[in-house]
Amino acid sequence: MKFTSDHLARGAFIYIRQSTVDQLANNHESRRRQYGLAERARALGWADVTVIDDDLGRSGSGVSLPGFEKLLAAICEGRVGAVFAIEVSRLARNGCDWHTLIEFCGLVGTVIVDEDGIYEPRHPNDRLLLGMKGTMSELELSLLRARSMEALEQKARRGELFFTVAVG
């Protein structure tokens, strides 16, 4: 097992995030699955489980994420034995935040848990896998942005791109 009694003595922190208000309104299953991680943490042996959901509806692009900052602070204080997320690459919004999280977890001995497994950032193979997951997430995001921009440009070329004027 990649976690020890020391990890269990510290808290399990569940970080919940959905990037947009639209996702909050229409993607209830994702939120249910994320909140369900608290039960997984308890089933694995954590008694102290903290849910951080301060960043619901925040994209993170140009916006501060108080929940993520709270998570990093708790890790640095040594209060976090494990960080839980549905998909580890969703823990951070960009590569810099992602690698900061991995570095802090490695320094204080916090494991990272998602649906695929338990990762110990101090172990080179786990650190490599976490890095690859973050890189793949960034690539996926940039591909989605590029496709969206190309679709908008094609629509504009055809004269079919319309925006509504803001009220007020």
Side-chain angles (χ1 to χ4, degrees), residues 163-167:
F163 291 98
T164 57
V165 177
V167 177

Side-chain angles (χ1 to χ4, degrees), residues 8-46:
L8 294 172
R10 295 181 276 155
F13 279 61
I14 316 302
Y15 181 67
I16 298 174
R17 183 168 73 94
Q18 285 181 291
S19 298
T20 66
V21 174
D22 183 60
Q23 288 175 341
L24 285 174
N26 300 310
N27 195 350
H28 304 289
E29 192 57 34
S30 172
R31 202 165 51 259
R32 277 189 204 105
R33 288 177 58 216
Q34 290 182 69
Y35 280 108
L37 290 170
E39 286 308 311
R40 178 161 183 226
R42 287 183 189 95
L44 287 172
W46 272 274

Side-chain angles (χ1 to χ4, degrees), residues 69-83:
E69 293 167 12
K70 186 187 298 184
L71 175 64
L72 287 179
I75 291 168
C76 290
E77 292 167 359
R79 296 186 293 123
V80 183
V83 176

